[in-house]
Structure formats: structure tokens, C-alpha cells
Amino acid sequence: MTTFGPEELDLVRRRVVNVVGHELRTPLTTIRGLAELLGDASDEELRETLIPALVRNARRAERLLDDLLIAGEIDTARPTVAPTEVDLVAIVRDAVAESDVGVEDTEVPPVVAHHDQIAHAVAHLVENARQYADGPPAIRFEVDDGTVSVLLRTPVDRALPPVELELGFELFFRGEQAVTRAAGLGIGLPVARALARMDGGDVTIADDGGDVVTRLSLPRA
């Protein structure tokens, strides 16, 4: 087991507080402002505008907290119902419906998983690819005797060594840069991997000739 000295632990603590505080500040500040406006609003039409915005930002904060629990492998984040047969292609197409990510036109066998959980994982992988791509990402599928895999190919402007790629699965690895360079907690890959592993699958990442290929694999039905 890896042990940390006082300086390393202090760095981790500051990183967590910095990133989580930054990400939660926006929806919580918005919620407070909307609640104050709602309290003063007498116009029913205005109330009908404020209430959906209030709910939307509350859900955003809730999703951020859920992701932290999942990435931290907290037991309460695990599903309590059995997995079912899931159409992985349909989940992927829904996830990229409003993006520039291309999807291979194919049919593959269903997987055994929790639909909402895998949709959450795919959404994180697609968002991660779109944030850091230097060209339109593309998705194809692979099938073998035991698994169905989603391969998300992301063009990047430089080759990335395996060690750097694997660091993407470390909590908040991109968090400190995300505060100024890109939105997000920097936990998309850890959350996606944790969700896949809950259903007996996995998420891996590798460099392939200048492109980063992220693979989500799940057991076939």
C-alpha cells in the first residue's frame, strides 16, 4: 500500500478542496441567487422561469456529488438492483446526439449492465474526448466471445506515453488545470472506470499512432 508523508497529504487535501470547491461554487451560487429571486417574485410567469432553473442547478450539484462518491468507490454509490440486457449502441448514439462525435453504423449483441450507470459512463467518456480532442472523435464497436467494447478514438496533437495516459484515471489529475483551462472536476475517466467495473467491465486508454483510444468493455448478454 502506498503511504504519503505530511506534505503529500497536504497537497492532496488542497487539491480536493480547490477543485471541488470551484466546481460546486457555480451551481450553489446560482441556486442561492435563484432562490432569492423566487422569494421576491410575485409574477407567476417569472416563477415558472425560475423554478426549472433552480431544479436544474440543484441536479447539477447532485450529479457532482454522485460522481465524487462513485470515483471514491463509496458503497452507497453502488446499484441496488440487478443488471439487465442493455443496448450499448443505443446508449452511445444518445450520448453523441448533439455532438460532432462520429459513430459506426452497426449492430452488436446486448450487454449485461445497469442502463443508467453505463449511460453515465459513456457520457463522461464522450465529454472527456470532446474537451481534449484536436479533431472530431469517432466511435466504433468490437465484439469477442465474452465482451462488447466501445472504442472512442480521439485525435491529439502529440503522442502521450502510457504513464501519462494512466494518470488520467487518478482522481483530480487534471483538476488544478481544469480550474483555468477546461471545465470539470477531472474525474470523468475515474468515474467511467468505476461504473464499468461495477458491472464487470472496464475502461482502458492507450495511444495509437497519435490518437488516444479509450475502450469501454462490458460482458455480453
Side-chain angles (χ1 to χ4, degrees), residues 134-147:
D134 293 303
I139 291 177
R140 66 182 181 87
F141 301 87
E142 281 188 359
V143 181
D144 61 28
D145 290 340
T147 62

Side-chain angles (χ1 to χ4, degrees), residues 107-169:
E107 293 184 4
V108 301
V111 297
V112 179
H114 294 85
H115 179 280
D116 292 349
Q117 185 168 295
I118 298 308
H120 191 172
V122 171
H124 269 304
L125 296 179
V126 170
E127 180 60 24
N128 190 72
R130 294 183 66 225
Q131 281 191 355
Y132 297 98
D134 293 303
I139 291 177
R140 66 182 181 87
F141 301 87
E142 281 188 359
V143 181
D144 61 28
D145 290 340
T147 62
V148 177
S149 298
V150 179
L151 277 72
L152 175 55
R153 180 176 292 272
T154 306
V156 293
D157 60 5
R158 66 184 181 91
L160 299 173
V163 171
E164 185 171 340
L165 289 171
E166 193 60 27
L167 280 173
F169 291 106

Side-chain angles (χ1 to χ4, degrees), residues 23 60 63-64 67 91-92 94-101 118-135 137-139 152 154 174 178 181-189 191-192 214:
E23 286 300 311
R60 178 183 174 190
R63 283 194 299 270
L64 289 171
D67 281 349
I91 287 178
V92 169
D94 284 345
V96 304
E98 298 180 2
S99 74
D100 60 350
V101 181
I118 298 308
H120 191 172
V122 171
H124 269 304
L125 296 179
V126 170
E127 180 60 24
N128 190 72
R130 294 183 66 225
Q131 281 191 355
Y132 297 98
D134 293 303
I139 291 177
L152 175 55
T154 306
R174 292 174 179 163
R181 293 180 52 191
L185 281 170
I187 62 173
L189 286 177
V191 168
T214 307

Side-chain angles (χ1 to χ4, degrees), residues 1-220:
M1 178 181 295
T2 303
T3 58
F4 297 95
E7 291 184 1
E8 290 84 358
L9 288 173
D10 183 60
L11 176 61
V12 170
R13 281 193 295 267
R14 285 189 286 111
R15 181 182 299 171
V16 170
V17 171
N18 180 33
V19 178
V20 175
H22 176 84
E23 286 300 311
L24 286 176
R25 178 186 296 275
T26 299
L28 292 178
T29 300
T30 303
I31 288 169
R32 185 186 66 182
L34 290 170
E36 291 172 351
L37 288 173
L38 187 60
D40 296 333
S42 57
D43 187 331
E44 187 61 30
E45 185 175 340
L46 178 60
R47 293 173 67 87
E48 290 178 358
T49 301
L50 293 174
I51 291 173
L54 189 60
V55 172
R56 185 169 59 251
N57 280 276
R59 287 176 175 167
R60 178 183 174 190
E62 186 178 38
R63 283 194 299 270
L64 289 171
L65 292 173
D66 284 344
D67 281 349
L68 290 170
L69 293 174
I70 292 165
E73 299 181 355
I74 305 301
D75 287 341
T76 54
R78 293 183 175 275
T80 57
V81 298
T84 60
E85 289 193 5
V86 171
D87 184 344
L88 192 55
V89 176
I91 287 178
V92 169
R93 287 176 178 158
D94 284 345
V96 304
E98 298 180 2
S99 74
D100 60 350
V101 181
V103 180
E104 177 185 26
D105 186 14
T106 188
E107 293 184 4
V108 301
V111 297
V112 179
H114 294 85
H115 179 280
D116 292 349
Q117 185 168 295
I118 298 308
H120 191 172
V122 171
H124 269 304
L125 296 179
V126 170
E127 180 60 24
N128 190 72
R130 294 183 66 225
Q131 281 191 355
Y132 297 98
D134 293 303
I139 291 177
R140 66 182 181 87
F141 301 87
E142 281 188 359
V143 181
D144 61 28
D145 290 340
T147 62
V148 177
S149 298
V150 179
L151 277 72
L152 175 55
R153 180 176 292 272
T154 306
V156 293
D157 60 5
R158 66 184 181 91
L160 299 173
V163 171
E164 185 171 340
L165 289 171
E166 193 60 27
L167 280 173
F169 291 106
E170 294 294 326
L171 284 173
F172 309 116
F173 172 63
R174 292 174 179 163
E176 290 174 307
Q177 292 184 346
V179 171
T180 55
R181 293 180 52 191
L185 281 170
I187 62 173
L189 286 177
V191 168
R193 172 177 275 183
L195 289 168
R197 287 180 173 178
M198 287 179 191
D199 276 333
D202 203 359
V203 173
T204 59
I205 190 168
D207 183 88
D208 182 22
D211 292 347
V212 172
V213 177
T214 307
R215 177 188 292 265
L216 166 64
S217 299
L218 292 163
R220 285 182 58 170

